[in-house]
Amino acid sequence: NAGVMQNPRHLVRRRGQEARLRCSPMKGHSHVYWYRQLPEEGLKFMVYLQKENIIDESGMPKERFSAEFPKEGPSILRIQQVVRGDSAAYFCASSPTAGGSGGLPQHFGDGTRLSIL
Amino acid sequence: AQTVTQSQPEMSVQEAETVTLSCTYDTSESNYYLFWYKQPPSRQMILVIRQEAYKQQNATENRFSVNFQKAAKSFSLKISDSQLGDTAMYFCAFMNTTSGTYKYIFGTGTRLKVLA
């Protein structure tokens, strides 16, 4: 019973390049959340998606960042023209519903550590 | 806006002893959930315990228990019989269920070191 799968585990990019982070939710989960963890800080919400829909992107930077969760395939967090400040660990979490059954906990992947040279 | 505060950046405890990590939060909502997550050096986020705000009874999971004081907006985690494997960052998280997104709001974490 595979958990939330994120890849790559580590990603190194030079300033100005694009970074693509992938997340496959747990089997049976249709709700995906992305969080960012800067060094020595807690996780901060970025975006919440359901299949083919962005439900809440209130935590996403206005520029360069985008996310999708297509009907088929993993969720993708895309960062264009990366800068040094984008260096962080990016976590994906999934849940079977949006908490309609009562605040079900989210299950986290192991994260992608993004380093910008 | 909801906020979560963990006022203890670092703590240490001797193996087999008990330690309490504090967490306070601010919300005007009445329906919500609270969680503690553990993040060991491997960086995984591991669910420790969950509490429903409408339940007065404190949640327990083996050696882990909470002291939930709704009026005071306090949600502390007690770890009994501490083990070396409990060494990790601990994050308190708030989930609001009335906004429709059920996202987590995390505190800044407490780094716990269990000493042999």
Side-chain angles (χ1 to χ4, degrees), chain B residues 55-73:
Chain B
K55 283 191 177 178
Q56 291 187 340
Q57 186 174 6
N58 290 322
T60 62
E61 285 288 339
N62 302 314
R63 298 182 295 107
F64 298 87
S65 61
V66 298
N67 182 4
F68 174 48
Q69 302 288 329
K70 191 172 184 180
K73 296 179 182 171

Side-chain angles (χ1 to χ4, degrees), chain B:
Chain B
Q2 292 96 0
T3 58
V4 176
T5 301
Q6 293 180 251
S7 58
Q8 305 151 314
E10 292 187 4
M11 295 190 73
S12 61
V13 63
Q14 288 294 135
E15 199 176 5
E17 295 194 344
T18 295
V19 64
T20 298
L21 309 183
S22 66
C23 173
T24 58
Y25 58 94
D26 188 26
T27 183
S28 58
E29 304 296 336
S30 58
N31 188 27
Y32 51 88
Y33 296 81
L34 296 161
F35 303 81
W36 279 96
Y37 277 86
K38 166 185 175 181
Q39 188 179 45
S42 64
R43 266 194 315 139
Q44 290 176 290
M45 289 290 288
I46 302 166
L47 177 66
V48 175
I49 203 163
R50 169 180 173 268
Q51 174 79 44
E52 296 101 329
Y54 61 85
K55 283 191 177 178
Q56 291 187 340
Q57 186 174 6
N58 290 322
T60 62
E61 285 288 339
N62 302 314
R63 298 182 295 107
F64 298 87
S65 61
V66 298
N67 182 4
F68 174 48
Q69 302 288 329
K70 191 172 184 180
K73 296 179 182 171
S74 170
F75 182 59
S76 59
L77 175 70
K78 185 170 89 170
I79 306 174
S80 304
D81 185 26
S82 298
Q83 299 175 0
L84 295 177
D86 296 333
T87 292
M89 282 288 286
Y90 286 81
F91 292 100
C92 177
F94 172 97
M95 178 194 282
N96 170 252
T97 58
T98 56
S99 66
T101 63
Y102 310 100
K103 61 193 176 194
Y104 283 142
I105 297 167
F106 285 94
T108 51
T110 295
R111 187 181 302 278
L112 176 68
K113 189 174 286 187
V114 179
L115 306 171

Side-chain angles (χ1 to χ4, degrees), chain A:
Chain A
N1 189 14
V4 178
M5 304 299 291
Q6 286 189 251
N7 67 80
R9 187 95 158 109
H10 300 276
L11 182 61
V12 179
R13 286 286 178 266
R14 296 190 180 279
R15 282 178 293 171
Q17 291 185 321
E18 178 179 287
R20 280 183 180 242
L21 288 63
R22 293 174 181 75
C23 169
S24 296
M26 283 182 72
K27 188 175 180 181
H29 287 195
S30 58
H31 299 258
V32 167
Y33 300 79
W34 284 93
Y35 295 86
R36 176 164 66 175
Q37 184 178 30
L38 294 171
E40 304 303 318
E41 292 188 14
L43 282 72
K44 294 250 179 5
F45 168 78
M46 297 182 77
V47 62
Y48 162 45
L49 309 103
Q50 296 175 23
K51 285 282 187 182
E52 300 183 281
N53 283 305
I54 296 174
I55 308 302
D56 181 352
E57 55 181 348
S58 59
M60 288 277 270
K62 293 284 185 280
E63 297 177 351
R64 303 187 297 109
F65 285 72
S66 61
E68 63 176 9
F69 189 16
K71 189 176 179 182
E72 301 290 337
S75 176
I76 306 285
L77 179 67
R78 182 179 176 211
I79 311 172
Q80 295 178 289
Q81 299 176 330
V82 296
V83 301
R84 287 251 171 88
D86 298 332
S87 294
Y90 292 82
F91 287 89
C92 169
S94 72
S95 68
T97 70
S101 299
L104 291 175
Q106 296 168 17
H107 298 263
F108 283 84
D110 289 343
T112 293
R113 185 181 293 278
L114 176 64
S115 298
I116 310 301
L117 301 180

